[in-house]
Every structure is written in structure tokens, then in C-alpha cells.
Amino acid sequence: MSFLRTEALSRSFGGLAAVAGVDLSVEPGEIRAIIGPNGAGKTTLVSLISGRVPPSSGRIEFDGDDITALKPWERVLRGIVYTFQITSIFRNLTLAENVMLAAQRAASRDQPLWRGLDDRAVTQAVDAALERVGLASRAQELAGELAYGHQRLLEVAMGLALRPKLLILDEPTQGLSEQEIADFCALVRSIAMDATILLIEHNMDVVMALAQRITVMNNGALLAEGTPDQIMNHAEVQRAYLGT
């Protein structure tokens, strides 16, 4: 059984089909890239999976359960974590405080709030998440003072503190330097040892370096799926997206 599966998943906005009958199957521990031209439906698809957008029709299964009707926060509690294309950090809080909010939510899955949280465990989770994304030395800085690329890394740290089973990364390398992108690729590989990853990314070097399989979308539908080599040599993908 697939770890994540969608069946005929669709979403229309005012008669426009942003996602049209998508059947997607992702295995546990996989790094799956979703690519396609602007407006192809990539972000709408992952928004359906995370629960931010309700489907017009279709079904979503996660870890053996039908989650189609679950609220976004219920999906977070099940381990589905989405880092946004536009950062959603708390700019007036420190990096550590931002990550602590996520770590406290994760801790509440294991310990009812009325019994109190293990402050030491929460602090350790914050420190570990910031260390993994390379921001530990800036833990007490205000999040709003970070450059945009580092805000993206902070959001990834918040996602890690939630202990995801499925981590959805939407354009995570935008605003990062070449060295930061290389470090990020190493980070994603380490995350994949414990979680499944859906990656929306326009940087094809990153996609080809990380993805085990690639799903290509165009006009709200699946155009092709396959390994990086298969996608690079797919004639329709070349015409619709790669420009060759």
C-alpha cells in the first residue's frame, strides 16, 4: 500500500480546473519532486494534500487512512507538514521562539496539555531543528531580520520540529546562495531517512540531484511520471516544460 495516495483528486475555482483528476502514489521514504510550468496546479495539489484547500472531488489516503475530510491541523497531528512558498514565520519573535511553537505542538501529541509539557525536551527539539538547518548561532535574533532565504530555512526548521512523516517543501531553495543550496540538498537527504518528502522546485539541478521520482503537471493534470532520466528524455515534458 502506498504511503500517500490520491484518487481522481480535483479542485476547481470558478469553473477553472486547477487540479483535474490527479492520481498520485508516493512510497514511504521517497523524495518525490513535482514540477511543471507556472499555473500547472502544483501548489494547489499539495494544498489539497495538506488540507489548506478542500477538494471539489476525489480522495486522499495517508498512511493507510482516508484523510479527505480532515482539517489542516488534524493532518499536522498525523504528521503532514507543509512549508509555504511564501514564508509564514512570526517576524517579531526570535528564531528559537518560532521553532518552539512548532516543537510544543509536536510535544502535545505525546502529552496532553493539561499535564504540562516537558520543557527540556521542547528546548532540545528547538536546538536540534535550528542546528540541522544551520541557524543555531542566530537562535535569539528576530525572525524578521533574516534574509528571505534564511526565513525559508527557519520555516523548514519549524517543520522539522513538528516531527513530520510527510514534509512538503514548496520552492525551498528560492533566495538561497549556491553553497546554501548544496547544504540544503544534504539536509533533504538526511530528512528523507526519517520522513517522506514532496518537493516543488523550479531549480532543475536541485530536482535532478534529489528526486528519486518526478511527477510533471501541466494544466492541472499529470503529464508524466518517472525517474529523472525518464523525465529528461520525455518528449512531451520537453515541449511543455523543459523547453527543448
Side-chain angles (χ1 to χ4, degrees):
M1 180 180 294
S2 299
F3 183 64
L4 170 69
R5 185 160 66 99
T6 70
E7 296 179 356
L9 193 62
S10 300
R11 173 66 196 200
S12 296
F13 297 98
L16 175 66
V19 171
V22 168
D23 294 326
L24 180 72
S25 180
V26 180
E27 300 305 315
E30 184 179 349
I31 302 176
R32 173 70 66 89
I34 303 175
I35 67 171
N38 290 333
K42 305 181 299 294
T43 294
T44 302
L45 175 61
V46 295
S47 295
L48 289 166
I49 293 169
S50 66
R52 294 181 60 240
V53 174
S56 301
S57 59
R59 191 167 182 266
I60 306 168
E61 288 186 3
F62 176 69
D63 204 12
D65 294 323
D66 185 343
I67 64 165
T68 311
L70 293 187
K71 302 296 185 184
W73 64 267
E74 293 174 312
R75 301 187 197 201
V76 171
L77 291 177
R78 286 175 175 255
I80 298 177
V81 175
Y82 180 21
T83 66
F84 295 85
Q85 185 175 8
I86 300 173
T87 55
S88 58
I89 60 173
F90 297 94
R91 299 177 61 86
N92 293 325
L93 298 181
T94 67
L95 277 63
E97 289 168 337
N98 269 272
V99 179
M100 184 172 292
L101 293 173
Q104 288 172 336
R105 169 58 66 89
S108 70
R109 294 202 299 255
D110 307 322
Q111 181 78 20
L113 288 176
W114 61 267
R115 295 185 60 181
L117 299 178
D118 185 338
D119 291 339
R120 182 177 178 183
V122 169
T123 299
Q124 289 174 342
V126 171
D127 292 343
L130 287 172
E131 182 70 34
R132 287 188 78 178
V133 302
L135 293 176
S137 65
R138 308 183 67 176
Q140 299 310 314
E141 295 182 24
L142 289 179
E145 296 176 355
L146 293 177
Y148 178 74
H150 287 162
Q151 291 182 13
R152 303 306 310 274
L153 291 176
L154 173 59
E155 193 167 41
V156 172
M158 294 168 69
L160 292 176
L162 286 166
R163 304 202 307 266
K165 294 181 180 179
L166 173 67
L167 180 61
I168 302 171
L169 300 170
D170 196 345
E171 300 289 353
T173 66
Q174 186 176 348
L176 299 184
S177 69
E178 187 173 336
Q179 182 56 55
E180 288 169 338
I181 288 175
D183 292 342
F184 178 79
C185 288
L187 171 63
V188 169
R189 293 188 187 99
S190 73
I191 295 171
M193 298 176 67
D194 304 306
T196 302
I197 295 173
L198 282 183
L199 172 69
I200 296 177
E201 181 59 67
H202 281 293
N203 186 325
M204 290 305 297
D205 289 337
V206 171
V207 170
M208 295 300 165
L210 288 176
Q212 294 149 339
R213 290 182 63 80
I214 299 172
T215 295
V216 186
M217 295 188 68
N218 193 34
N219 296 322
L222 295 191
L223 176 62
E225 284 189 325
T227 65
D229 285 344
Q230 289 171 332
I231 294 303
M232 288 295 290
N233 293 300
H234 195 290
E236 290 184 58
V237 174
Q238 291 173 351
R239 286 193 296 269
Y241 182 54
L242 299 178
T244 58

